[in-house]
Amino acid sequence: MANLDIVASDILLPSPTSVSLNDTLLWTSDTGRTLAGTMVGDITGAYITVSLKWQMLTQDEFKTLKNSIRDGENGLRKFFPLLISDLDIDMQVYRGAIAYSVRTVGDEIRYPEVSVDLIERG
């Protein structure tokens, strides 16, 4: 994958190994299926979820990532800007869980697998 410049909270993130986009529709609360099985409802909007994955981050890279999406009021950011200019993404997002594994390589701590979903605020 070519390097993508991803900026969250005005901080350049380490280049991910994988980026996935999910474009989801928002439906009215009365959406569902009739007894005949026909779908009914109205679309009220849409939002994008950006799923980012990294492999083998250093401690400094992991700290940069966490600081861009975690620090803030009470140690957590509610909403923050996300910019991925190569993909024409410029939006306010909130985050899902940061999933990661940790291992030692010699005297260093590494993060072989890191992932997070960033969800458009709308």
Side-chain angles (χ1 to χ4, degrees):
M1 166 177 243
N3 287 347
L4 292 175
D5 286 338
I6 300 176
V7 179
S9 302
D10 298 322
I11 298 171
L12 179 64
L13 301 184
S15 189
T17 54
S18 172
V19 177
S20 300
L21 303 174
N22 187 352
D23 192 344
T24 304
L25 297 176
L26 292 171
W27 293 81
T28 56
S29 61
D30 62 346
T31 297
R33 298 209 176 261
T34 66
L35 290 177
T38 304
M39 183 72 175
V40 295
D42 293 305
I43 297 172
T44 62
Y47 66 93
I48 294 173
T49 300
V50 179
S51 299
L52 302 172
K53 294 182 182 178
W54 294 265
Q55 292 179 339
M56 210 48 77
L57 291 180
T58 65
Q59 276 189 295
D60 287 342
E61 290 171 327
F62 185 70
K63 185 176 180 180
T64 296
L65 170 63
K66 281 182 66 174
N67 286 343
S68 71
I69 62 177
R70 186 172 179 164
D71 288 348
E73 187 178 320
N74 300 323
L76 299 172
R77 289 191 196 284
K78 190 184 241 181
F79 304 107
F80 54 91
L82 177 68
L83 175 64
I84 310 174
S85 56
D86 295 328
L87 301 178
D88 293 325
I89 292 175
D90 185 0
M91 60 189 179
Q92 289 286 313
V93 297
Y94 61 95
R95 72 167 181 88
I98 303 171
Y100 56 95
S101 58
V102 180
R103 73 182 263 203
T104 57
V105 177
D107 292 339
E108 296 182 18
I109 294 175
R110 297 289 178 133
Y111 300 83
E113 296 178 12
V114 179
S115 64
V116 67
D117 288 340
L118 303 177
I119 303 110
E120 184 176 16
R121 181 179 184 187

